Amino acid sequence: IHHVENMSLVIPIWSSDTRLDGKTAIVTGGNSGIGKETARDLAGRGARVILACRDTTKGEQVACDIMKEVKGAKVVTKQLDLADTKSICQFAENIYNTEKTLHYLINNAAVAMCPYARTVDGYEMQFGVNHLGHFFLTFLLLDLLKHSAPSRVINLASSAHVFGKIQFDDLKGEKKYHPVRAYAQSKLANILFTRELAKRTEVLGVMAYSVDPGLVNTDIFRHVWRPLVDMIKTFGFVVRTPAEGAYTTIYCTVTPENQLITGGYYSNCSRAESSRAGQDDGTALKLWAVSCHLLGIRWR
Ligand SMILES: NC(=O)c1ccc[n+]([C@@H]2O[C@H](COP(=O)([O-])OP(=O)(O)OC[C@H]3O[C@@H](n4cnc5c(N)ncnc54)[C@H](OP(=O)(O)O)[C@@H]3O)[C@@H](O)[C@H]2O)c1
């Protein structure tokens, strides 16, 4: 890993020529931003890449672009709306019908800092999509990941998790809703989910990592006050391109397992420390139980 130092900020310039021929990866939200660049990179390494998108027209356009740019790329698009458990079930069923293996599940999609909204199933949108949707998707695809072991689940979190707290008494955000706090809560949930998942699946050969991609110039800020976004972007040197934003995800995908720590949080293509709340195993366990309860599933 080479680092470009820019004042106090360090942007890693990382590269690896590891091939992924014969491997299959799912990238949720693969039609945009970091997910799109992750998909492009993995396809270039020879992996079969499934773009799991709520808007398949956008997904198919991206699949077409990647296949034009990357010779021999194998990219397909499948419909997935993480705000709807029925859609998640249909997506998983489709995967079991079409795929013999799944080596990398990259839980990348997210909605950020949106006005109060609910998923089809009635959960607060950011907690529902970013955490519960991916939790449920991973639950449904675990058999295939186990069957394909060694395999990995990579959850896109964010340094914004440091502002997060899991509001167990108000997970639907009905008492008090703040868009930034709700985003931070969902990103903290991604880290806690990764820790607890890793404990349960390491023996099965399924490793789990959470990733902070850094501050990246994507559509994620679509709900944020425009002048603030423009102000952040004028400090261009601190904002990464989507391709740079994908580095740590790709790092966690291709780095040999013995050089990574399952359950760990990664940033700038290396191991990082999450907040204390992100290391709280009691909260992680409680979140696991509550998530199972909300989704009506048994996942021991
Ligand atoms: N950009 C940053 O600075 C930054 C910083 C820290 C962490 N992250 C994390 O990085 C990840 C990727 O974000 P990004 O920056 O690449 O943002 P992005 O370009 O806005 O991509 C988000 C993706 O999530 C998809 N999505 C949203 N709701 C969905 C749903 N209900 N079902 C399925 N897909 C859904 C979007 O689909 P549509 O195109 O249809 O909306 C889009 O493809 C996120 O987990 C984000 O939290 C980003």
Side-chain angles (χ1 to χ4, degrees):
I1 308 166
H2 308 282
H3 289 94
V4 175
E5 299 222 9
N6 222 329
M7 302 182 66
S8 61
L9 187 91
V10 181
I11 297 182
I13 297 178
W14 175 81
S15 70
S16 153
D17 53 12
T18 301
R19 297 283 310 167
L20 297 177
D21 302 291
K23 305 286 186 191
T24 301
I26 292 176
V27 183
T28 69
N31 62 284
S32 168
I34 298 165
K36 179 174 158 184
E37 293 307 321
T38 303
R40 189 199 308 277
D41 181 283
L42 302 188
R45 294 172 191 275
R48 170 175 162 78
V49 181
I50 298 160
L51 307 178
C53 308
R54 64 176 161 181
D55 182 338
T56 47
T57 311
K58 285 190 203 169
E60 274 152 21
Q61 184 57 57
V62 168
C64 257
D65 293 347
I66 296 177
M67 286 191 286
K68 265 189 221 147
E69 285 164 33
V70 182
K71 203 167 154 237
K74 297 178 275 296
V75 186
V76 295
T77 303
K78 291 181 191 279
Q79 215 274 334
L80 170 69
D81 183 354
L82 289 157
D84 181 356
T85 49
K86 212 183 270 175
S87 168
I88 301 172
C89 286
Q90 284 165 356
F91 174 83
E93 200 180 331
N94 182 296
I95 293 293
Y96 279 102
N97 287 336
T98 58
E99 308 303 317
K100 289 197 178 69
T101 53
L102 174 62
H103 304 94
Y104 307 106
L105 172 59
I106 302 182
N107 289 324
N108 163 86
V111 58
M113 299 170 251
C114 56
Y116 187 77
R118 287 191 184 188
T119 65
V120 173
D121 308 283
Y123 311 119
E124 181 276 307
M125 187 61 78
Q126 300 192 67
F127 185 74
V129 168
N130 305 358
H131 168 63
L132 280 181
H134 283 127
F135 184 93
F136 191 41
L137 179 66
T138 309
F139 168 75
L140 293 175
L141 294 179
L142 191 62
D143 277 344
L144 193 54
L145 287 160
K146 280 193 306 203
H147 163 80
S148 316
S151 55
R152 300 179 186 192
V153 177
I154 296 166
N155 294 319
L156 269 280
S158 166
S159 54
H161 80 274
V162 300
F163 305 111
K165 181 168 187 272
I166 309 294
Q167 303 288 353
F168 285 108
D169 62 338
D170 189 24
L171 285 176
K172 289 196 169 165
E174 286 166 326
K175 292 186 195 158
K176 215 161 113 185
Y177 178 76
H178 188 284
V180 177
R181 249 181 262 137
Y183 179 66
Q185 167 178 258
S186 74
K187 294 286 117 182
L188 174 60
N190 293 149
I191 293 171
L192 294 171
F193 168 45
T194 305
R195 280 176 82 87
E196 189 58 34
L197 177 69
K199 281 189 197 164
R200 291 161 188 256
T201 58
E202 184 173 5
V203 290
L204 307 169
V206 184
M207 305 302 152
Y209 311 101
S210 61
V211 163
D212 162 36
L215 183 60
V216 188
N217 189 4
T218 67
D219 279 349
I220 198 83
F221 302 110
R222 70 190 84 171
H223 297 291
V224 180
W225 188 48
R226 193 76 230 169
L228 179 64
V229 175
D230 291 343
M231 200 177 82
I232 292 171
K233 286 183 180 172
T234 55
F235 293 101
F237 68 94
V238 297
V239 182
R240 296 167 195 211
T241 63
E244 288 167 344
Y247 283 160
T248 306
T249 303
I250 300 159
Y251 172 84
C252 286
T253 308
V254 305
T255 300
E257 204 175 283
N258 60 5
Q259 292 172 32
L260 298 171
I261 294 175
T262 190
Y265 174 64
Y266 286 81
S267 180
N268 287 328
C269 299
S270 42
R271 183 85 204 281
E273 203 166 316
S274 65
S275 66
R276 269 174 68 180
Q279 299 175 45
D280 183 340
D281 288 332
T283 308
L285 191 58
K286 187 170 172 187
L287 177 65
W288 186 281
V290 168
S291 303
C292 287
H293 175 73
L294 289 171
L295 291 161
I297 58 175
R298 296 186 79 179
W299 190 357
R300 292 180 183 280

PDB file of all heavy atoms in Angstrom, residues 219-233:
ATOM      1  N   ASP A 219     -23.362   9.952  -5.187  1.00  0.00           N
ATOM      2  CA  ASP A 219     -24.724  10.474  -5.010  1.00  0.00           C
ATOM      3  C   ASP A 219     -25.258  10.298  -3.582  1.00  0.00           C
ATOM      4  O   ASP A 219     -26.409  10.615  -3.310  1.00  0.00           O
ATOM      5  CB  ASP A 219     -25.684   9.732  -5.949  1.00  0.00           C
ATOM      6  CG  ASP A 219     -25.616  10.290  -7.349  1.00  0.00           C
ATOM      7  OD1 ASP A 219     -25.004  11.357  -7.515  1.00  0.00           O
ATOM      8  OD2 ASP A 219     -26.155   9.643  -8.262  1.00  0.00           O
ATOM      9  N   ILE A 220     -24.422   9.772  -2.703  1.00  0.00           N
ATOM     10  CA  ILE A 220     -24.900   9.454  -1.352  1.00  0.00           C
ATOM     11  C   ILE A 220     -25.428  10.698  -0.635  1.00  0.00           C
ATOM     12  O   ILE A 220     -26.270  10.624   0.245  1.00  0.00           O
ATOM     13  CB  ILE A 220     -23.794   8.768  -0.507  1.00  0.00           C
ATOM     14  CG1 ILE A 220     -24.387   8.040   0.700  1.00  0.00           C
ATOM     15  CG2 ILE A 220     -22.708   9.714  -0.059  1.00  0.00           C
ATOM     16  CD1 ILE A 220     -24.916   6.692   0.427  1.00  0.00           C
ATOM     17  N   PHE A 221     -24.928  11.866  -1.058  1.00  0.00           N
ATOM     18  CA  PHE A 221     -25.314  13.102  -0.373  1.00  0.00           C
ATOM     19  C   PHE A 221     -26.566  13.746  -0.976  1.00  0.00           C
ATOM     20  O   PHE A 221     -26.831  14.917  -0.744  1.00  0.00           O
ATOM     21  CB  PHE A 221     -24.142  14.096  -0.406  1.00  0.00           C
ATOM     22  CG  PHE A 221     -22.896  13.561   0.232  1.00  0.00           C
ATOM     23  CD1 PHE A 221     -21.781  13.236  -0.522  1.00  0.00           C
ATOM     24  CD2 PHE A 221     -22.849  13.339   1.603  1.00  0.00           C
ATOM     25  CE1 PHE A 221     -20.635  12.714   0.065  1.00  0.00           C
ATOM     26  CE2 PHE A 221     -21.712  12.821   2.208  1.00  0.00           C
ATOM     27  CZ  PHE A 221     -20.604  12.513   1.430  1.00  0.00           C
ATOM     28  N   ARG A 222     -27.313  12.974  -1.757  1.00  0.00           N
ATOM     29  CA  ARG A 222     -28.449  13.575  -2.485  1.00  0.00           C
ATOM     30  C   ARG A 222     -29.487  14.217  -1.564  1.00  0.00           C
ATOM     31  O   ARG A 222     -30.193  15.121  -1.969  1.00  0.00           O
ATOM     32  CB  ARG A 222     -29.108  12.549  -3.412  1.00  0.00           C
ATOM     33  CG  ARG A 222     -29.860  11.448  -2.692  1.00  0.00           C
ATOM     34  CD  ARG A 222     -30.258  10.353  -3.644  1.00  0.00           C
ATOM     35  NE  ARG A 222     -29.165   9.403  -3.839  1.00  0.00           N
ATOM     36  CZ  ARG A 222     -29.269   8.265  -4.479  1.00  0.00           C
ATOM     37  NH1 ARG A 222     -30.379   7.926  -5.059  1.00  0.00           N
ATOM     38  NH2 ARG A 222     -28.256   7.431  -4.557  1.00  0.00           N
ATOM     39  N   HIS A 223     -29.571  13.741  -0.305  1.00  0.00           N
ATOM     40  CA  HIS A 223     -30.565  14.317   0.609  1.00  0.00           C
ATOM     41  C   HIS A 223     -29.986  15.419   1.497  1.00  0.00           C
ATOM     42  O   HIS A 223     -30.686  15.957   2.350  1.00  0.00           O
ATOM     43  CB  HIS A 223     -31.161  13.228   1.508  1.00  0.00           C
ATOM     44  CG  HIS A 223     -31.913  12.189   0.750  1.00  0.00           C
ATOM     45  ND1 HIS A 223     -33.104  12.454   0.112  1.00  0.00           N
ATOM     46  CD2 HIS A 223     -31.637  10.888   0.501  1.00  0.00           C
ATOM     47  CE1 HIS A 223     -33.538  11.355  -0.480  1.00  0.00           C
ATOM     48  NE2 HIS A 223     -32.665  10.393  -0.264  1.00  0.00           N
ATOM     49  N   VAL A 224     -28.683  15.686   1.320  1.00  0.00           N
ATOM     50  CA  VAL A 224     -28.035  16.668   2.187  1.00  0.00           C
ATOM     51  C   VAL A 224     -28.153  18.054   1.550  1.00  0.00           C
ATOM     52  O   VAL A 224     -28.150  18.186   0.322  1.00  0.00           O
ATOM     53  CB  VAL A 224     -26.546  16.290   2.408  1.00  0.00           C
ATOM     54  CG1 VAL A 224     -25.835  17.294   3.298  1.00  0.00           C
ATOM     55  CG2 VAL A 224     -26.455  14.890   3.005  1.00  0.00           C
ATOM     56  N   TRP A 225     -28.233  19.047   2.382  1.00  0.00           N
ATOM     57  CA  TRP A 225     -28.365  20.441   1.940  1.00  0.00           C
ATOM     58  C   TRP A 225     -27.276  20.766   0.917  1.00  0.00           C
ATOM     59  O   TRP A 225     -26.082  20.654   1.204  1.00  0.00           O
ATOM     60  CB  TRP A 225     -28.251  21.339   3.171  1.00  0.00           C
ATOM     61  CG  TRP A 225     -28.550  22.780   2.956  1.00  0.00           C
ATOM     62  CD1 TRP A 225     -29.625  23.306   2.304  1.00  0.00           C
ATOM     63  CD2 TRP A 225     -27.750  23.879   3.405  1.00  0.00           C
ATOM     64  NE1 TRP A 225     -29.549  24.661   2.324  1.00  0.00           N
ATOM     65  CE2 TRP A 225     -28.406  25.058   2.996  1.00  0.00           C
ATOM     66  CE3 TRP A 225     -26.557  23.991   4.121  1.00  0.00           C
ATOM     67  CZ2 TRP A 225     -27.916  26.314   3.263  1.00  0.00           C
ATOM     68  CZ3 TRP A 225     -26.055  25.244   4.398  1.00  0.00           C
ATOM     69  CH2 TRP A 225     -26.733  26.398   3.977  1.00  0.00           C
ATOM     70  N   ARG A 226     -27.689  21.136  -0.294  1.00  0.00           N
ATOM     71  CA  ARG A 226     -26.779  21.317  -1.440  1.00  0.00           C
ATOM     72  C   ARG A 226     -25.555  22.216  -1.147  1.00  0.00           C
ATOM     73  O   ARG A 226     -24.424  21.826  -1.431  1.00  0.00           O
ATOM     74  CB  ARG A 226     -27.606  21.875  -2.610  1.00  0.00           C
ATOM     75  CG  ARG A 226     -26.957  21.850  -3.947  1.00  0.00           C
ATOM     76  CD  ARG A 226     -26.950  20.467  -4.566  1.00  0.00           C
ATOM     77  NE  ARG A 226     -25.588  20.188  -5.001  1.00  0.00           N
ATOM     78  CZ  ARG A 226     -25.150  19.029  -5.395  1.00  0.00           C
ATOM     79  NH1 ARG A 226     -25.958  17.982  -5.383  1.00  0.00           N
ATOM     80  NH2 ARG A 226     -23.915  18.873  -5.782  1.00  0.00           N
ATOM     81  N   PRO A 227     -25.758  23.427  -0.543  1.00  0.00           N
ATOM     82  CA  PRO A 227     -24.584  24.281  -0.300  1.00  0.00           C
ATOM     83  C   PRO A 227     -23.526  23.600   0.566  1.00  0.00           C
ATOM     84  O   PRO A 227     -22.328  23.811   0.362  1.00  0.00           O
ATOM     85  CB  PRO A 227     -25.176  25.499   0.422  1.00  0.00           C
ATOM     86  CG  PRO A 227     -26.601  25.526  -0.007  1.00  0.00           C
ATOM     87  CD  PRO A 227     -27.011  24.101  -0.174  1.00  0.00           C
ATOM     88  N   LEU A 228     -23.973  22.745   1.488  1.00  0.00           N
ATOM     89  CA  LEU A 228     -23.010  22.051   2.346  1.00  0.00           C
ATOM     90  C   LEU A 228     -22.206  21.051   1.506  1.00  0.00           C
ATOM     91  O   LEU A 228     -20.981  20.943   1.628  1.00  0.00           O
ATOM     92  CB  LEU A 228     -23.747  21.331   3.487  1.00  0.00           C
ATOM     93  CG  LEU A 228     -22.858  20.542   4.444  1.00  0.00           C
ATOM     94  CD1 LEU A 228     -21.903  21.467   5.198  1.00  0.00           C
ATOM     95  CD2 LEU A 228     -23.701  19.753   5.444  1.00  0.00           C
ATOM     96  N   VAL A 229     -22.916  20.350   0.618  1.00  0.00           N
ATOM     97  CA  VAL A 229     -22.235  19.377  -0.250  1.00  0.00           C
ATOM     98  C   VAL A 229     -21.222  20.099  -1.137  1.00  0.00           C
ATOM     99  O   VAL A 229     -20.071  19.662  -1.282  1.00  0.00           O
ATOM    100  CB  VAL A 229     -23.265  18.615  -1.123  1.00  0.00           C
ATOM    101  CG1 VAL A 229     -22.566  17.683  -2.110  1.00  0.00           C
ATOM    102  CG2 VAL A 229     -24.232  17.841  -0.239  1.00  0.00           C
ATOM    103  N   ASP A 230     -21.646  21.232  -1.703  1.00  0.00           N
ATOM    104  CA  ASP A 230     -20.746  21.984  -2.584  1.00  0.00           C
ATOM    105  C   ASP A 230     -19.522  22.467  -1.817  1.00  0.00           C
ATOM    106  O   ASP A 230     -18.403  22.438  -2.338  1.00  0.00           O
ATOM    107  CB  ASP A 230     -21.479  23.189  -3.206  1.00  0.00           C
ATOM    108  CG  ASP A 230     -22.543  22.736  -4.197  1.00  0.00           C
ATOM    109  OD1 ASP A 230     -22.470  21.564  -4.628  1.00  0.00           O
ATOM    110  OD2 ASP A 230     -23.450  23.531  -4.503  1.00  0.00           O
ATOM    111  N   MET A 231     -19.750  22.873  -0.568  1.00  0.00           N
ATOM    112  CA  MET A 231     -18.640  23.346   0.241  1.00  0.00           C
ATOM    113  C   MET A 231     -17.645  22.190   0.480  1.00  0.00           C
ATOM    114  O   MET A 231     -16.440  22.375   0.332  1.00  0.00           O
ATOM    115  CB  MET A 231     -19.159  23.865   1.582  1.00  0.00           C
ATOM    116  CG  MET A 231     -18.192  24.780   2.284  1.00  0.00           C
ATOM    117  SD  MET A 231     -18.935  25.377   3.792  1.00  0.00           S
ATOM    118  CE  MET A 231     -18.620  24.046   4.887  1.00  0.00           C
ATOM    119  N   ILE A 232     -18.182  21.018   0.780  1.00  0.00           N
ATOM    120  CA  ILE A 232     -17.294  19.860   1.010  1.00  0.00           C
ATOM    121  C   ILE A 232     -16.505  19.567  -0.268  1.00  0.00           C
ATOM    122  O   ILE A 232     -15.299  19.325  -0.242  1.00  0.00           O
ATOM    123  CB  ILE A 232     -18.125  18.616   1.427  1.00  0.00           C
ATOM    124  CG1 ILE A 232     -18.733  18.836   2.811  1.00  0.00           C
ATOM    125  CG2 ILE A 232     -17.263  17.356   1.427  1.00  0.00           C
ATOM    126  CD1 ILE A 232     -19.744  17.787   3.238  1.00  0.00           C
ATOM    127  N   LYS A 233     -17.220  19.652  -1.409  1.00  0.00           N
ATOM    128  CA  LYS A 233     -16.561  19.308  -2.667  1.00  0.00           C
ATOM    129  C   LYS A 233     -15.490  20.329  -3.075  1.00  0.00           C
ATOM    130  O   LYS A 233     -14.558  19.988  -3.796  1.00  0.00           O
ATOM    131  CB  LYS A 233     -17.591  19.139  -3.773  1.00  0.00           C
ATOM    132  CG  LYS A 233     -18.366  17.831  -3.620  1.00  0.00           C
ATOM    133  CD  LYS A 233     -19.340  17.611  -4.743  1.00  0.00           C
ATOM    134  CE  LYS A 233     -20.080  16.289  -4.532  1.00  0.00           C
ATOM    135  NZ  LYS A 233     -21.170  16.125  -5.490  1.00  0.00           N
TER     136      LYS A 233
END
